[in-house]
Amino acid sequence: MKFTTAAAILAATSSIASTGAFTLSQHRSNIAVYERRKQHQSNASSDKSSSALMSTMESKSVGNKSGFNSQDGLSSAAWDDLVNGSAELASKSAARTYMNKFKGDTAAHIIYSKLLEHGTEVVNGYSGGAILPLLDQFHNSHPRHGEAKRIRWITNSNESSAGHVAEGIAKSSTEADGRLAAGIVVATSGPGATNLVTPMVDAMCDGVPIIVLCGQAATTAPVDAFQSAPAVEIMKPCSKWSYQIKSAAEVPFAMDYAFYVARNGRPGPVFLDLPKDLQIQQLTDEVIENFLDGVGTYTEDEEYNLSHDKEFVRLIPDTTAIHLGHVKEGLSFVVDNEGELKHVESGHDAYHLDHHSTNTIYGGVDYNKIYDEDDSRETGKLGAPDGLMAEMMERIRNAKRPFIIAGQGTNDASEELMELAESLQIPVATTLHGLGAFDERHHLATNMLGMHGHATPNYLIQECDLLLCIGSRFDDRITGRVSDFIPAARQASKEGRGGVIHVDVRFSENAKQIMPDYFVHSTGKKFLQTVNDAIRMNPPKDASRTKPWITRKLELEKENPIKITQYNPQNFMIEDEDGNSQEVTRTKMNCQGVIHEMNRQLLESGKIDDSIFTTGVGIHQMAAAQLITWTQPRQMLSSGSLGTMGVSLGYCMGAKLANPTKFCISVDGDGSFNMTFTELKTIGEEKIPVKLLILDNESQMMVEYWQRLFHDERYIAVRNKSPKYCTLASAFDIKSLYCESMEELPEKMRSFLEDYDDEPVLMHVRIERTPCLPMVAPGQPLDNMILVDEDFEVDKSAAPS
């Protein structure tokens, strides 16, 4: 039997009578709890036995298993309705209390208030007629502000760049709850919305929480009105939730739900479509009551639910909960005593399981069976003293060649990751989005693995007997040819002494690419804390078992360093400003050499820990990943899955806006930079003190290399005629440096890094065209790597994408 959303909600409220109405005993139970709570609250000196009695009685209340009908999750008015026997009235009363906080405000006013409530400090965007009511809320002289805190508004050069700035804010900032902050974008209808498709998809692919608020033609506008577009339908496949507001009464729910969905589970983008006339609609008693009268229900009848899928807010029968979102992709909430929405776990369908971890260990099954309920399927609780937890820990303790892939899901657990690696002496590799989660200055670090990763982790992972993949989804860029991935671990699995342990917050990642021996549905942090606790209580008997494995790591590192092409110096005759000729020595540079020098200076100056780097996509991106010494989580901001050129500038701006005390350095190629350099306007206007390093070889070199390997050197659409970037910078009143030889590089780089901390600076570096090696041959196993730049035969049917 497969889990369904309706069945899950019924399971979560299993103590509710099957007739759909409260039984007398349940009604009395609620009254008893209510009266006991009142007595308990009126007696401040109540002892622990009274508290225990309260807890016991509450556990027997209707639906308490899910938290739906506990007073802890209700306003007092809703609780009164509940104990008087009407869950429907209770949930409506709670919703009314929630909306009353905003009574008298327009929808635009409510949106701004919700942004403030959720801690938003900066909003990026672009103007347009359909978004004017909301845009007006950000004006410094708007009467709403007074002495209250204001959100900083930044006008970008286009909507797409605004989206990338929001991504940069989200990627590099963490809220008090440990989750990434949501970046916010505001734009108009039509082309304003469609220009944001690329940032939305980019955020969806890389798990970045952004909320996009776009205007829309008024609900009274004729069909095909000016700058109207089916934005909700366009954004559905590239967002976690896409919705058009139907009433001002929905706005508080929609904003809270948007922030929750964007930031929880695997983060991602949310899109809200805001018709212009509804932005100015006032939330009155009449609007509230009309809305509540029209609120539908969420039932057991899946056909009925699907036919009413356009309803965003629905009551869940016989509970006090409110269902928000789509039928198959929605979550349940209650309104607490403070009038705030509070999420309650209410199901085990696919969507719920991707938004809250169950801390459950699952035995390995095929991907098409992961949602099946089968009595023979092995499951266990993370942290349990026996069962799958004990089996898994036995393999971890006894592995002789263990290996860790640290993905994005370890960025909030770097200390726990370090503890596990050190206690068991396990080499650690990181993914592109996990760079910095494990300090690369540590002797157990093997650095980035994958298609353009270091050779050492690519060789080690193929030889390991136990692979712990924590917070990564086995992307094709890190597996190579899947059929040849981790052969030694697969063999160890058959022999019951190793295999694969996969940890992911999304249940849907279980066995999607690689079938694990144990899938742990949990956060990376919780998993690492639990495993570390178990190891402290029961350490391995053989502390030296991984010593030969560490020796193997050191041998591979010595044999396979990242090689940087060196050029011979050349002599040139040049004329100075007075026309005098002189001979000078100049040595050419390449991408890898420039990044190596930048990294050296940052390490020696002690600034590396306080630096955040962003990249575009191409050779410079992979060279940065290979050659920068990553020391801190979320230090590398790059477009991984979608591979979006042009993002580095926006990411860097966002990182600096969110982290004003950090050194924010954009490492960009000319091809990527040419796509979005209009944002120099914004940087100049707002005086955002970012550092922009442009590595200019007048080429899309990564694609050019593939044309060399797979298309007999027929080069097309890969050469650029770059502008004079320093002249371009000066047009926007931005300082700049130019470097064209290795002799100049150390001093120019020092100036770039140290002399412009309080203002933006651009450094244009002329480099030679060189490929980025090592590189896994496309369609080949992970350990079949191109290590040197020389001609060889390739499988031309396996050209990379």
Side-chain angles (χ1 to χ4, degrees), residues 694-706:
I694 304 170
L695 302 170
D696 176 18
N697 59 11
E698 295 194 330
S699 171
Q700 278 80 260
M701 187 59 213
M702 185 171 282
V703 180
E704 182 172 317
Y705 187 61
W706 293 340

Side-chain angles (χ1 to χ4, degrees), residues 344-472:
V344 287
E345 298 178 8
S346 60
H348 289 80
D349 59 279
Y351 195 72
H352 278 80
L353 287 173
D354 275 2
H355 280 85
H356 58 79
S357 57
T358 58
N359 296 320
T360 302
I361 306 170
Y362 294 85
V365 295
D366 291 334
Y367 180 67
N368 60 3
K369 296 181 179 180
I370 65 172
Y371 294 106
D372 290 354
E373 281 189 295
D374 188 336
D375 292 339
S376 65
R377 184 178 181 184
E378 291 185 287
T379 62
K381 206 65 182 172
L382 183 64
D386 51 16
L388 287 187
M389 178 69 187
E391 288 181 22
M392 183 178 72
M393 288 307 306
E394 189 71 10
R395 295 199 190 190
I396 292 173
R397 288 190 189 94
N398 295 330
K400 294 181 178 179
R401 299 190 307 277
F403 192 78
I404 293 174
I405 296 177
Q408 185 167 205
T410 63
N411 276 326
D412 63 344
S414 57
E415 292 181 5
E416 293 85 353
L417 177 62
M418 182 68 72
E419 180 181 345
L420 176 60
E422 288 185 333
S423 64
L424 298 184
Q425 289 296 289
I426 305 177
V428 179
T430 45
T431 65
L432 181 70
H433 294 310
L435 287 170
F438 193 81
D439 192 332
E440 291 186 354
R441 293 168 294 194
H442 196 279
H443 73 278
L444 290 172
T446 67
N447 306 347
M448 189 180 77
L449 83 164
M451 182 177 183
H452 281 286
H454 288 244
T456 296
N458 283 4
Y459 290 134
L460 285 176
I461 197 172
Q462 295 292 77
E463 298 174 14
C464 74
D465 60 5
L466 178 69
L467 175 60
L468 292 89
C469 181
I470 309 172
S472 176

Side-chain angles (χ1 to χ4, degrees), residues 432 435 440 447-448 452-454 560-566 590-603 608 613 619-631 636 667 695 770-774:
L432 181 70
L435 287 170
E440 291 186 354
N447 306 347
M448 189 180 77
H452 281 286
H454 288 244
N560 302 285
I562 298 290
K563 296 176 181 178
I564 299 175
T565 301
Q566 304 293 326
N590 55 36
C591 177
Q592 292 86 344
V594 177
I595 292 173
H596 181 270
E597 176 63 21
M598 177 185 69
N599 184 65
R600 181 190 68 80
Q601 292 196 23
L602 288 169
L603 281 170
I608 194 74
F613 302 87
I619 294 294
H620 71 278
Q621 175 192 30
M622 294 295 99
Q626 291 174 352
L627 293 165
I628 292 173
T629 303
W630 304 101
T631 67
M636 164 60 137
V667 179
L695 302 170
T770 53
C772 184
L773 301 176

